[in-house]
Amino acid sequence: RENSCPELETVAGLGKLFAWLLKNKRYRESSRDLFANLHRIDQIKAVLEYIETNYSSSLSLEDLAKVVGMNPKYFCRVFASLLHQSPMDYVNFYRVEQAAYLLDSTNRSVTAVGTECGFSESSYFTKVFKKHTGMTPSAYQKTINR
């Protein structure tokens, strides 16, 4: 669970993405279209790396779109077409993953972990964490510390 090699995790994630694209025939046959898709995947990779580096900061759709020089609306469409979730849903997913790791590996309070992972309000942190894990951060922390 430790995030000691984010580059490798990104490459592995892209491998899974390519496998899914091929398995579900979500690619076009022409080499021109394939090149365009590869270019889009490279752009999304840059955004994923940006999220990994900046997840603890306030991130907006505009910030993420700026990383790849796209209009936010178009960026959202491209991102969702490749990852089947919105960019902000992915940001929250990544933040929850990092929060779970911190709750598991440190003695920090739930509020401190939420803040450290980019959630400015503890109630929103609790809501998002529960959506992704099925339990509140406090309950998660209690099950780990048994």
Side-chain angles (χ1 to χ4, degrees):
R1 206 146 171 146
E2 186 174 329
N3 193 5
S4 60
C5 191
E7 296 85 6
L8 188 56
E9 288 178 7
T10 301
V11 170
L14 287 171
K16 288 179 184 177
L17 176 61
F18 275 123
W20 186 91
L21 289 170
L22 292 172
K23 179 181 171 191
N24 293 288
K25 298 185 182 234
R26 297 283 185 155
Y27 61 95
R28 293 193 174 102
E29 293 298 324
S30 81
S31 59
R32 189 172 134 199
D33 288 338
L34 182 59
F35 178 76
N37 284 339
L38 291 174
H39 177 66
R40 291 290 178 237
I41 290 169
D42 280 343
Q43 289 178 309
I44 297 304
K45 178 185 173 193
V47 173
L48 296 177
E49 289 170 349
Y50 181 82
I51 292 168
E52 287 176 10
T53 304
N54 298 288
Y55 71 92
S56 61
S57 304
S58 175
L59 294 175
S60 69
L61 183 60
E62 291 76 19
D63 296 331
L64 301 178
K66 224 180 266 185
V67 170
V68 289
M70 289 183 194
N71 164 300
K73 199 172 191 177
Y74 180 68
F75 165 71
C76 197
R77 223 176 26 236
V78 168
F79 191 98
S81 73
L82 292 173
L83 296 179
H84 299 282
Q85 61 183 319
S86 75
M88 299 317 293
D89 282 345
Y90 179 82
V91 168
N92 283 334
F93 165 78
Y94 190 81
R95 286 175 170 165
V96 167
E97 288 292 307
Q98 296 308 306
Y101 171 73
L102 290 174
L103 290 169
D104 189 23
S105 63
T106 68
N107 291 324
R108 293 185 185 111
S109 72
V110 168
T111 303
V113 167
T115 302
E116 189 172 331
C117 291
F119 293 98
S120 57
E121 296 178 22
S122 60
S123 61
Y124 184 63
F125 171 51
T126 299
K127 178 182 174 181
V128 172
F129 193 94
K130 187 172 183 178
K131 176 184 171 189
H132 286 278
T133 65
M135 63 178 75
T136 66
S138 298
Y140 181 85
Q141 193 173 45
K142 286 177 188 168
T143 61
I144 288 172
N145 291 332
R146 288 184 180 202

